[in-house]
Amino acid sequence: MTRSEENYIKTIFHLGGNDSISVATNAIAEQMETKPSSVTDMARKLAKKGLVNYVKYQGVSLTDIGVETALSVIRKHRLWEVFLVKKLDFSWDEVHEVAEQLEHIKSEKLIDKIDELLDFPKYDPHGDPIPSKDGKFMERDKQLLSDIPIKSKGVCVGVKDTSSTFLKFLDKNKIALGNTIEVLEKEEFDQSLHIQMDGRELHISHQIASNLYVKLND
Amino acid sequence: MTRSEENYIKTIFHLGGNDSISVATNAIAEQMETKPSSVTDMARKLAKKGLVNYVKYQGVSLTDIGVETALSVIRKHRLWEVFLVKKLDFSWDEVHEVAEQLEHIKSEKLIDKIDELLDFPKYDPHGDPIPSKDGKFMERDKQLLSDIPIKSKGVCVGVKDTSSTFLKFLDKNKIALGNTIEVLEKEEFDQSLHIQMDGRELHISHQIASNLYVKLND
DNA sequence: ACCAATTTTTAGATTTGTCTAAAATTAATT
DNA sequence: AATTAATTTTAGACAAATCTAAAAATTGGT
């Protein structure tokens, strides 16, 4: 597995989801900031290796081995992110780039030891689940803050947008994973929300609410 | 800097030393297990980038910038080795391969934080000095065990051969860096040594003694 | 100083991953 | 259903890093 192959597999997984729905050449190209013709070439190559199903003009889907490979890379990416935040005091908006490099390091022992050092974390700094060594992968029961009814209470468990600008905005407003949230009121006009977060009242736009994941209290 | 360029620079440094003596194309090729013609190509490329001095048929030497680059890669390599041993319980014969990969990760913040996490170590697990952030690099005052006079006392501070077989041999015989050493007797016939190491007496061959570095007591 | 052996370079080919521009296919619209 | 629009593939080219085989330069020995 070359670095490039791993990146394609990862992208196909992110676009096609766990069930490995067929993904369009163009979509892959756009996501990876490359050209559709390059994607076609790689699709052929990965198909020959048995990592994807590829039929001309009908997009690409991951095989079982492809999914396994994707999960292994994603596991590494997310574990490194946790490492950077927990052990080296990186902030959550700085980890992505570096993890993009570290995820390609080839050593099973290394990543297992990192996992152990971190005490087997279940989620990365953005709230995304970390696949286990054997590729199990528990998507948390969560909803967008913008989708939950008024008066409901929950805990902030993830972000949808992981861009540095958004994450820094959250930091500035002391919105962090683990914070409790109650929706007090919803403005009909612009869908903005009045919420209570860890005690203090806050007014947030729909834009923000639709990029924050909440786990409702049971 | 591509990974390949960094590996060439590192090899030229190791062969040419700090003072950047001119290194033969063939020597580089042999060390890197590649072909001389490939080295020639890379020599041109690195010369154009200002990292080496290269004159046809007269070998390659590092420029100041080349030395700086080499030290930066070596610093990363050795810090990662310390990390693997101290934080992840790798043994000293397992670290090289993985460090070969990790040394190419591009993030100044990452390596500085690793340095800090390890409390700014001065030496790697094999006793080799770790260059500082600004490229300072203190070679320890040390001698081969095979070269020091009878009755002299010192501390084991490094290994010359870092092969897995040698390191495992040392482990098996409980020879470790930091152990005290006194040379009791030298066998004229085969240059083998009777030594005292951390209290117990040991008989070691010339082969072994000529791959162990000792710092004499003052 | 010459010849032979060694080292180094050149020339041309290969692989991987990428690109552009043109052709082929599929999808959408009237 | 025919034509236009969008997507996807093909064909051919390129850069990086490597290789082989042949040519050129250097070195060593006498």
Side-chain angles (χ1 to χ4, degrees):
Chain A
M1 274 265 115
T2 67
R3 176 175 303 229
S4 185
E5 286 169 354
E6 286 184 348
N7 283 331
Y8 273 95
I9 292 290
K10 200 178 46 155
T11 302
I12 296 165
F13 180 89
H14 283 314
L15 293 174
N18 221 332
D19 340 295
S20 102
I21 288 161
S22 193
V23 180
T25 307
N26 255 12
I28 300 170
E30 193 175 342
Q31 179 76 21
M32 297 185 71
E33 296 184 299
T34 183
K35 301 293 164 182
S37 54
S38 306
V39 177
T40 301
D41 289 344
M42 185 56 88
R44 280 238 173 63
K45 191 179 169 198
L46 293 174
K48 197 160 62 184
K49 289 197 172 193
L51 293 160
V52 304
N53 308 115
Y54 170 62
V55 184
K56 264 194 198 186
Y57 294 104
Q58 283 173 225
V60 181
S61 67
L62 294 177
T63 62
D64 288 354
I65 298 174
V67 171
E68 205 178 285
T69 306
L71 287 174
S72 154
V73 177
I74 290 166
R75 167 179 160 77
K76 287 190 256 175
H77 183 101
R78 293 183 180 166
L79 281 172
W80 279 115
E81 286 194 343
V82 176
F83 172 77
L84 293 172
V85 168
K86 296 281 186 191
K87 298 294 177 180
L88 302 187
D89 295 311
F90 277 59
S91 60
W92 65 346
D93 62 288
E94 296 175 311
V95 297
H96 188 75
E97 277 185 51
V98 184
E100 283 290 296
Q101 297 181 61
L102 288 164
E103 74 188 6
H104 300 294
I105 300 288
K106 277 157 190 56
S107 165
E108 213 182 324
K109 177 163 186 172
L110 174 60
I111 202 62
D112 290 344
K113 285 287 189 175
I114 290 284
D115 196 16
E116 186 185 332
L117 179 72
L118 298 170
D119 215 12
F120 310 104
K122 298 269 181 301
Y123 301 97
D124 80 7
H126 313 106
D128 294 315
I130 298 173
S132 64
K133 200 168 146 58
D134 58 330
K136 295 276 185 307
F137 175 13
M138 262 265 292
E139 193 56 68
R140 180 150 37 185
D141 171 44
K142 69 191 179 187
Q143 289 167 268
L144 287 177
L145 176 53
S146 54
D147 290 344
I148 65 177
I150 295 180
K151 295 295 169 201
S152 48
K153 297 176 181 182
V155 181
C156 189
V157 297
V159 292
K160 187 171 173 199
D161 177 358
T162 58
S163 72
S164 184
T165 33
F166 182 55
L167 297 176
K168 275 180 175 148
F169 168 86
L170 295 179
D171 284 343
K172 200 168 63 188
N173 290 88
K174 299 217 165 36
I175 300 173
L177 304 197
N179 287 4
T180 61
I181 285 190
E182 177 178 0
V183 179
L184 301 177
E185 211 181 321
K186 181 176 282 183
E187 198 63 64
E188 280 303 325
F189 175 62
D190 64 354
Q191 305 274 84
S192 67
L193 298 178
H194 285 276
I195 64 172
Q196 184 153 53
M197 170 163 284
D198 268 14
R200 79 209 134 78
E201 279 190 30
L202 225 58
H203 181 222
I204 65 174
S205 69
H206 178 70
Q207 199 21 140
I208 304 304
S210 62
N211 278 297
L212 274 177
Y213 287 117
V214 175
K215 179 185 184 313
L216 292 178
N217 294 343
D218 22 42
Chain B
M1 274 262 118
T2 68
R3 175 175 303 229
S4 185
E5 286 169 353
E6 286 184 347
N7 283 331
Y8 273 95
I9 292 291
K10 199 178 46 155
T11 302
I12 296 165
F13 181 88
H14 283 313
L15 293 174
N18 221 331
D19 339 296
S20 103
I21 288 163
S22 191
V23 180
T25 307
N26 255 11
I28 299 169
E30 193 175 342
Q31 180 76 23
M32 298 186 71
E33 296 184 299
T34 182
K35 300 293 164 184
S37 54
S38 306
V39 177
T40 301
D41 289 346
M42 186 55 88
R44 280 238 174 61
K45 193 178 168 197
L46 293 174
K48 197 158 65 186
K49 288 197 172 193
L51 293 160
V52 304
N53 308 114
Y54 171 63
V55 184
K56 264 197 199 182
Y57 294 105
Q58 284 174 223
V60 182
S61 68
L62 295 177
T63 63
D64 287 355
I65 298 172
V67 171
E68 206 178 284
T69 307
L71 288 173
S72 154
V73 177
I74 289 165
R75 168 179 157 80
K76 287 191 254 175
H77 182 100
R78 293 183 179 166
L79 281 172
W80 279 116
E81 287 195 343
V82 176
F83 172 78
L84 293 172
V85 168
K86 296 280 186 194
K87 298 294 177 183
L88 302 187
D89 294 312
F90 277 59
S91 59
W92 65 345
D93 61 289
E94 296 175 309
V95 296
H96 188 74
E97 276 185 50
V98 184
E100 284 289 297
Q101 297 180 60
L102 288 164
E103 73 188 7
H104 301 293
I105 301 289
K106 277 159 190 52
S107 166
E108 213 182 327
K109 176 162 187 173
L110 175 60
I111 202 62
D112 289 345
K113 286 287 191 175
I114 289 284
D115 196 16
E116 186 185 333
L117 180 72
L118 299 170
D119 213 11
F120 310 104
K122 297 268 180 304
Y123 301 97
D124 80 8
H126 313 104
D128 294 314
I130 298 172
S132 64
K133 201 167 145 61
D134 58 329
K136 293 278 185 306
F137 173 18
M138 261 266 292
E139 193 57 69
R140 177 146 47 181
D141 172 43
K142 69 190 178 189
Q143 290 168 268
L144 288 178
L145 176 53
S146 54
D147 290 344
I148 65 176
I150 296 180
K151 296 296 169 195
S152 48
K153 297 177 182 183
V155 181
C156 188
V157 296
V159 292
K160 187 172 171 196
D161 176 358
T162 59
S163 72
S164 184
T165 32
F166 182 56
L167 298 176
K168 276 179 175 149
F169 168 86
L170 295 179
D171 283 345
K172 201 169 62 188
N173 291 88
K174 299 216 164 39
I175 301 172
L177 303 198
N179 287 5
T180 61
I181 285 190
E182 177 178 357
V183 179
L184 302 177
E185 212 181 321
K186 183 178 283 184
E187 197 62 63
E188 279 305 323
F189 175 62
D190 65 353
Q191 305 273 79
S192 67
L193 299 178
H194 285 275
I195 64 170
Q196 185 154 54
M197 169 164 284
D198 268 14
R200 70 200 194 309
E201 279 189 31
L202 226 59
H203 182 224
I204 66 173
S205 70
H206 179 70
Q207 238 277 220
I208 304 304
S210 61
N211 277 299
L212 274 177
Y213 286 117
V214 174
K215 180 184 184 314
L216 292 178
N217 294 343
D218 21 42

